[in-house]
Amino acid sequence: MTATEQVGVVSSEVGAIEGDLELRGLVKRYSGTTVVDSLDLTIPSGQLFALLGPSGCGKTTTLRMVAGLEQPDEGSILLSGNDITQLRGFRRPVNTVFQSYALFPHLTIFENVAFGLRERRASDIKRKVERILETVELSALAQRKPAQLSGGQQQRVALARAIVNEPQVLLLDEPLGALDMKLRRQMQYEVKQIQSDLGLTFLHVTHDQEEAMTMADKIAVMNGGRIEQMGAPEELYESPRTAFVANFLGNSNLLPGIVLGHESELAMIDVAGQQVRVPSARVHATDQSVFVGVRPEKIRIARDHDVAAAGENELAGIVLDSSYTGIGTEYVVEVAGSNETVKAFVQNDSVRERLAPGTSVRLIWQLGFTFALDGSQDPHAGEGTAVGADTQHVAAVGARGRAARRKRR
Amino acid sequence: MTSATTAGRRRWAPYLLLAPMVVWLLAFFLSPLVTLVMGSLQSGSFQEGFVFTFEVANYVHVVTTYWPWFLRSVAFAAIATVCALLIAYPLAYMIVFKSGRWKYLLLVLVVAPLFASFLVRTLAWTTILADQGVVVGALRTVGLLGPDQWLLATPVSVIAGLTYNFLPFMALPIFVSLDRIDRRLIEAAGDLYASGFRAFRRVTLPLSLPGIAAGTLLVFIPAAGDFVNAQLLGSVDTQMIGNVIDSQYLRALDYPTASAISVTLIVLIIGLVALSLRRARTDELF
């Protein structure tokens, strides 16, 4: 370690775990626009953490600040308890897999991978490079130049070039964005595999909600430079706290309602004259005016003989439209006594007649799938910004349908 | 239209497209070259006329008599090329990476001297480097030049003139090759623990080698054959091979000797260029 390096690393916290990455009050502005707005985030060691958000939400800027490619205007970055905010990028024990791969065109694959090791004057370079090339199954191409490789192969070189340095944190900037669907799926799996094998901390930046959900242990959804919500994929999907998260991760029905009162851990909410119950823990609003939310695939469309159980919500409505999507049928149902519509996705898992427009139906779903959000926000926030593998469809199909689709492929 | 004629057209199209260039090369490159080589093997005099006698002795005469001029030309051109590289590389680097929105204005300024005549620009240097001029005065003040020393009519002024006159031809290709480098590669080098200097050494410099090679050719070749700079800024002792060709053709009217010198110069330059390119290719060029 050189003298400057030691000056740059100031131990500020005792007991921090090796590899923990902590961002404190990070702010970045570009000519007056705040791109990252007082961001606080702790990424525990050994996790695959995804920063998910639409383009322009500040996720890539956050990653570049961690890499040392941008300097934050305010706040600090701590790695294993050491403040690295002032440390120059090339002195930070982090490596990046760039979206464009940024492989050196004049060097062979071997030399590309060996680049970081040579800069650090590591020992045993040949063995280390050969082993990592074996891991990514590129040993045979070691003497080729990057231009002679396919996109997927280049992607693996970029990954190997970063991982071979055994960084404390590996930063991935939309690393699979340039690959086609099939290859992306395969690489998602491989990256996840490598991460759990090596036990490294991965910070994965992506705008693909499906990719984030399949790969990450934990996701932070970013919007407008701030974190909207953070949690495990299931948590974000099943219990979104804002309209943005509800719409960006999959599809949600958000119906305006008024909280009437609470009864034994349940909030009673009036929706167009009908009553809906939401577990109090799933009400993320302070005001009486709320949006009641439920995912389309959680809803059952009931006719006369089907009655709601004690643990279920029920809304009467009229079928407006339906579309057949193969594995399922999507209904648009107007809630009785209002102009609000609800999307319901019904899996075609039994023989039944498609309901004609105008049919009176009842929408039934379990209480535990209901959530309530603050009524003052835009119920359409985050809609249409989600990008991924035919997102609209996937979003509507949801978890059950996704599993089915994967099986078909 | 029948398919046969279409196929016929297809077959001839490439040749028709090539034709103008072939004609141009034949008329303006190959035929003068052949004439030159033929001329270099003639004997006789201007008064009695020259005859083709396959006079290989011309070459022996040229090499034995004029080798110091050849040597000086190659040395001057080589030094001027190195000087141009040392000036043009930082210049192009600054324009590409540090000048921001002034980039293209600065690039135009690099090329701007070419708008003035080559001769006039070189003549201007006789004023700049004159004994009573600013440069000599300044150098004398700092003591780099004694009171009885001067710049004009020395190798220094000839090399300075060559460097100045051919600088844009070095700066432009280097500018292009630096400008083409993906900045993200330099970021990636930094990400892989390379300091600013190391990233330059291992990424920027190797990727700009094609520009350096092109610039070196564009400066060295014309500089080796130049005679204007030596004529205007030099003395009898700093004459280059171009001056010899000039005087043999236009004053001595010894066409075979002048032709033999020209052919020798061409062969010499091609040999040197081939040698240096072969060495460069074994390096990190792609």
Side-chain angles (χ1 to χ4, degrees):
Chain A
M1 218 185 245
T2 66
T4 23
E5 219 167 336
Q6 266 162 350
V7 171
V9 180
V10 181
S11 189
S12 66
E13 204 165 297
V14 186
I17 301 162
E18 171 91 4
D20 269 14
L21 178 67
E22 196 182 337
L23 313 180
R24 285 186 191 161
L26 226 49
V27 175
K28 181 71 188 176
R29 299 184 196 90
Y30 287 115
S31 51
T33 318
T34 306
V35 182
V36 174
D37 195 359
S38 51
L39 191 89
D40 289 298
L41 189 64
T42 303
I43 299 167
S45 174
Q47 273 204 349
L48 204 164
F49 193 99
L51 270 183
L52 173 67
S55 54
C57 74
K59 58 191 191 304
T60 297
T61 307
T62 305
L63 178 120
R64 288 174 63 84
M65 286 192 283
V66 176
L69 298 169
E70 307 277 355
Q71 197 58 32
D73 292 318
E74 284 171 36
S76 52
I77 301 165
L78 283 84
L79 185 55
S80 309
N82 300 317
D83 192 334
I84 59 165
T85 319
Q86 297 305 321
L87 210 56
R88 301 274 296 279
F90 66 91
R91 296 199 195 283
R92 297 188 186 189
V94 298
N95 288 108
T96 311
V97 178
F98 293 88
Q99 183 173 18
S100 61
Y101 313 144
L103 301 179
F104 305 118
H106 58 299
L107 299 179
T108 59
I109 300 311
F110 184 95
E111 282 304 321
N112 262 282
V113 175
F115 195 99
L117 295 173
R118 291 206 195 286
E119 286 307 316
R120 291 222 277 192
R121 302 181 190 286
S123 57
D124 242 356
I125 291 176
K126 192 168 183 293
R127 193 182 53 82
K128 283 175 185 163
V129 173
E130 278 170 357
R131 203 173 56 191
I132 203 83
L133 284 176
E134 228 166 84
T135 311
V136 295
E137 292 167 15
L138 285 174
S139 303
L141 305 176
Q143 294 313 315
R144 300 260 183 100
K145 294 279 177 71
Q148 296 169 287
L149 267 58
S150 71
Q153 289 167 336
Q154 290 186 20
Q155 211 287 328
R156 295 216 291 271
V157 175
L159 196 62
R161 186 178 70 172
I163 287 172
V164 76
N165 302 295
E166 292 171 18
Q168 289 186 29
V169 177
L170 185 77
L171 307 171
L172 301 117
D173 182 10
E174 309 251 4
L176 310 176
L179 303 179
D180 62 52
M181 256 320 281
K182 205 176 159 202
L183 204 55
R184 196 185 313 177
R185 282 283 167 73
Q186 189 192 331
M187 285 307 296
Q188 284 173 3
Y189 175 77
E190 278 181 33
V191 169
K192 177 79 194 155
Q193 199 66 41
I194 287 171
Q195 191 268 335
S196 49
D197 284 353
L198 299 177
L200 295 173
T201 312
F202 277 33
L203 176 55
H204 182 182
V205 160
T206 181
H207 63 270
D208 183 334
Q209 47 112 358
E210 202 192 351
E211 184 173 299
M213 295 233 263
T214 26
M215 289 174 74
D217 299 313
K218 214 169 177 187
I219 300 174
V221 180
M222 275 187 86
N223 183 30
R226 291 171 168 277
I227 291 179
E228 289 264 339
Q229 192 179 344
M230 190 162 82
E234 302 82 18
E235 193 187 328
L236 292 182
Y237 188 82
E238 300 298 348
S239 186
R241 285 165 181 274
T242 67
F244 181 87
V245 176
N247 292 323
F248 190 74
L249 281 178
N251 263 357
S252 290
N253 293 302
L254 295 177
L255 301 167
I258 302 288
V259 180
L260 300 171
H262 290 266
E263 257 174 50
S264 57
E265 300 296 302
L266 289 177
M268 316 300 281
I269 299 172
D270 176 90
V271 175
Q274 309 184 47
Q275 224 178 61
V276 169
R277 290 166 297 165
V278 183
S280 295
R282 295 170 66 87
V283 179
H284 306 294
T286 46
D287 204 40
Q288 276 205 308
S289 147
V290 295
F291 284 109
V292 173
V294 62
R295 300 276 184 190
E297 78 278 4
K298 314 291 191 201
I299 298 174
R300 181 168 96 235
I301 294 197
R303 306 292 311 272
D304 329 305
H305 54 276
D306 192 353
V307 192
E312 289 182 325
N313 274 318
E314 183 179 331
L315 276 181
I318 296 160
V319 173
L320 280 188
D321 196 9
S322 68
S323 50
Y324 177 76
T325 58
I327 41 168
T329 306
E330 197 181 287
Y331 287 99
V332 180
V333 178
E334 192 179 65
V335 179
S338 77
N339 290 324
E340 297 294 330
T341 56
V342 170
K343 273 190 199 159
F345 183 84
V346 179
Q347 272 211 318
N348 295 336
D349 50 6
S350 62
V351 182
R352 77 179 80 127
E353 215 174 307
R354 194 159 145 191
L355 300 171
T359 314
S360 284
V361 292
R362 279 173 294 120
L363 305 167
I364 296 175
W365 69 92
Q366 293 177 19
L367 294 186
F369 287 137
T370 328
F371 51 87
L373 310 174
D374 197 286
S376 61
Q377 47 189 334
D378 174 13
H380 300 293
E383 267 176 22
T385 38
V387 186
D390 25 272
T391 315
Q392 287 309 318
H393 180 57
V394 171
V397 172
R400 270 189 303 163
R402 216 180 310 130
R405 245 155 45 91
R406 210 166 280 145
K407 222 175 280 172
R408 283 199 310 162
R409 199 158 259 133
Chain B
M1 194 186 294
T2 66
S3 62
T5 53
T6 315
R9 280 186 177 204
R10 287 242 174 89
R11 197 175 321 138
W12 284 105
Y15 299 102
L16 281 171
L17 287 169
L18 272 175
M21 202 188 78
V22 172
V23 170
W24 194 90
L25 279 177
L26 282 176
F28 299 109
F29 176 72
L30 206 59
S31 70
L33 195 66
V34 170
T35 313
L36 190 70
V37 174
M38 300 285 277
S40 71
L41 298 170
Q42 288 176 335
S43 58
S45 71
F46 183 72
Q47 284 77 21
E48 291 152 24
F50 296 109
V51 260
F52 185 83
T53 52
F54 208 76
E55 199 71 21
V56 180
N58 285 345
Y59 283 92
V60 179
H61 164 67
V62 159
V63 171
T64 50
T65 314
Y66 297 110
W67 66 265
W69 280 266
F70 278 112
L71 201 66
R72 191 181 295 132
S73 291
V74 169
F76 281 13
I79 295 169
T81 305
V82 171
C83 291
L85 177 63
L86 291 179
I87 297 168
Y89 199 96
L91 182 71
Y93 187 90
M94 289 298 156
I95 293 176
V96 169
F97 292 106
K98 310 283 179 196
S99 65
R101 61 200 180 96
W102 302 107
K103 188 159 106 175
Y104 290 100
L105 178 74
L106 287 171
L107 190 66
V108 169
L109 289 180
V110 169
V111 189
L114 297 180
F115 293 135
S117 146
F118 186 79
L119 211 59
V120 173
R121 278 183 285 138
T122 312
L123 274 172
W125 273 78
T126 59
T127 316
I128 296 169
L129 298 178
D131 295 357
Q132 279 73 43
V134 185
V135 179
V136 172
L139 288 175
R140 278 183 180 155
T141 312
V142 259
L144 278 173
L145 224 55
D148 53 344
Q149 285 177 306
W150 56 87
L151 285 179
L152 215 54
T154 63
V156 175
S157 66
V158 178
I159 291 167
L162 288 171
T163 306
Y164 161 76
N165 274 311
F166 296 109
L167 190 68
F169 301 106
M170 182 66 91
L172 280 179
I174 293 176
F175 170 86
V176 171
S177 66
L178 284 175
D179 202 34
R180 262 186 11 199
I181 295 176
D182 187 344
R183 309 289 170 95
R184 290 171 295 194
L185 294 178
I186 301 165
E187 278 187 353
D191 187 70
L192 293 164
Y193 314 112
S195 63
F197 173 75
R198 291 286 302 165
F200 171 78
R201 172 69 195 80
R202 290 194 65 192
V203 177
T204 313
L205 184 63
L207 288 176
S208 63
L209 277 180
I212 294 178
T216 303
L217 293 183
L218 287 176
V219 172
F220 180 79
I221 295 171
D226 184 75
F227 67 99
V228 176
N229 286 284
Q231 184 101 24
L232 298 178
L233 302 172
S235 68
V236 190
D237 300 326
T238 62
Q239 279 198 345
M240 293 170 68
I241 199 69
N243 303 91
V244 179
I245 298 173
D246 173 51
S247 63
Q248 289 297 324
Y249 251 117
L250 300 178
R251 277 180 278 281
L253 301 174
D254 187 351
Y255 292 175
T257 302
S259 302
I261 297 174
S262 298
V263 173
T264 311
L265 184 64
I266 291 171
V267 171
L268 185 67
I269 288 175
I270 290 175
L272 286 172
V273 165
L275 205 74
S276 61
L277 277 188
R278 237 172 99 181
R279 283 205 50 189
R281 198 155 296 156
T282 55
D283 276 2
E284 286 174 316
L285 264 172
F286 18 161

